Structures are given as structure tokens and as C-alpha cells.
Amino acid sequence: MKELTLQPLTAELFAPFGAVIDGQTPCETYPINEGLTQRHNALASVDCAAEGGSAVLSLFRAQAVSGGFVLRGMERHPLGSQAFINTSGNPYAIVVAPAGDLDETAIQGFLASSSQSISYHRGTWHHYLLALDSASDFVVVDRIGPGNNCDELELKSPMQLVLP
């Protein structure tokens, strides 16, 4: 069985798949609220208007997995982007592949720190949430509306998750 080793999540490495949402990602910043808050502006966009969709906020609670977890499938959302805001402060795993036809040889894995969140580009292939230390909550911004916005495929060659 092929192994997938997670690499540290950085804005540069993750750019083909989406955006990293954290206080370290380069962006426009400026003070607001009488100077008591620093706004990190427009870290990710919400792309949900295709075929009459709109953005919604949901809460996802992911159960923890461990090293050795077997990845068996991938999914994508062709009509909208999808953002996961980590509210539990736990590290988690991200497994992605470029948009288009799923290329299993292009699958990459990232280890997100406890302070990082992400937003997938529309059409990016990804595995479902992979909490690591304990069950973790994520506020999810994604599309609701008409049309099929979830394609799921079973991997031809399952992969075993290897934690660093």
C-alpha cells in the first residue's frame, strides 16, 4: 500500500489547492476598532454563486484518526469553494489533489497546525476532515443551492496516512 506522508502546511505549498487562513499568511493588514484589532484582510474568497448558489456557515465535528489511517476516497465541489475554520485549536491533516480529472499520483498531504485554517478552491479534490489529536470542530463556509456540488470517487490505490 502506498504511504502518504504529511508535510507542514504553508501558504506557498497549498496555493494550487486554496488558501491558508492564519495570522502568518501575507495579506493586506490594518488596524480597526480604535486600533485594538488588526484586520488580516481577504485571506480567502468565497466562490459559491455558480448555478444560483449562496454561502452558508455550518459546524462540522470531526472524530480523530491516527497514523496508519487508510485513505479510500476523495471528493470535490465543482460549484463552490469550501473553507474550514479550525475552532478547536488542534492540528489536523489535509489531503488534496488538483482540480480536473483526479490524478492519484498528484495527491499531497499537509499537517495544519492548531492555529491554521484553510479554504479549498472550487473543484479541488480533497479527503474529508481528518482531525488528529481529538475530536475537533470546524466552522465551514460552503455553498448551498441547486445543482450537484459533490463528486466522490473511490481511490484505485488506497493510501496509508503517515504522520511526521
Side-chain angles (χ1 to χ4, degrees), residues 6 65 91-95 110-112 120 128-132 161 163:
L6 300 179
V65 300
Y92 60 102
I94 301 163
V95 176
F110 296 95
L111 177 61
Y120 296 123
Y128 58 77
L129 277 172
L130 294 167
L132 296 176
L161 188 65
L163 303 178

Side-chain angles (χ1 to χ4, degrees), residues 15 27 46 52 55 71 77 81 95 97 101 112 120 134 158-159 163-164:
C27 67
V46 178
L71 307 165
H77 305 285
S81 61
V95 176
D101 292 335
Y120 296 123
S134 60
M159 304 172 103
L163 303 178

Side-chain angles (χ1 to χ4, degrees), residues 14-154:
F14 195 69
F17 312 106
V20 174
I21 301 170
D22 67 9
Q24 310 308 313
T25 301
C27 67
E28 176 187 21
T29 59
Y30 50 89
I32 60 172
N33 301 332
E34 299 180 30
L36 297 175
T37 302
Q38 186 73 15
R39 179 175 175 145
H40 296 249
N41 196 46
L43 289 171
S45 62
V46 178
D47 177 4
C48 295
E51 297 185 22
S54 60
V56 294
L57 297 173
S58 303
L59 178 71
F60 287 19
R61 180 162 294 142
Q63 299 305 308
V65 300
S66 59
F69 178 81
V70 177
L71 307 165
R72 299 187 186 285
M74 298 285 279
E75 65 182 45
R76 68 175 173 185
H77 305 285
L79 301 179
S81 61
Q82 194 175 42
F84 292 83
I85 311 303
N86 181 358
T87 62
S88 293
N90 296 324
Y92 60 102
I94 301 163
V95 176
V96 291
D101 292 335
L102 178 59
D103 177 0
E104 292 189 25
T105 65
I107 292 175
Q108 295 184 49
F110 296 95
L111 177 61
S113 74
S114 59
S115 64
Q116 291 178 307
S117 298
I118 55 101
S119 179
Y120 296 123
H121 293 315
R122 181 165 44 117
T124 293
W125 287 100
H126 60 280
H127 194 275
Y128 58 77
L129 277 172
L130 294 167
L132 296 176
D133 290 344
S134 60
S136 296
D137 289 345
F138 295 81
V139 172
V140 177
V141 180
D142 65 350
R143 181 191 181 278
I144 193 168
N148 178 22
N149 191 35
C150 187
D151 297 330
E152 297 176 290
L153 288 178
E154 188 174 321

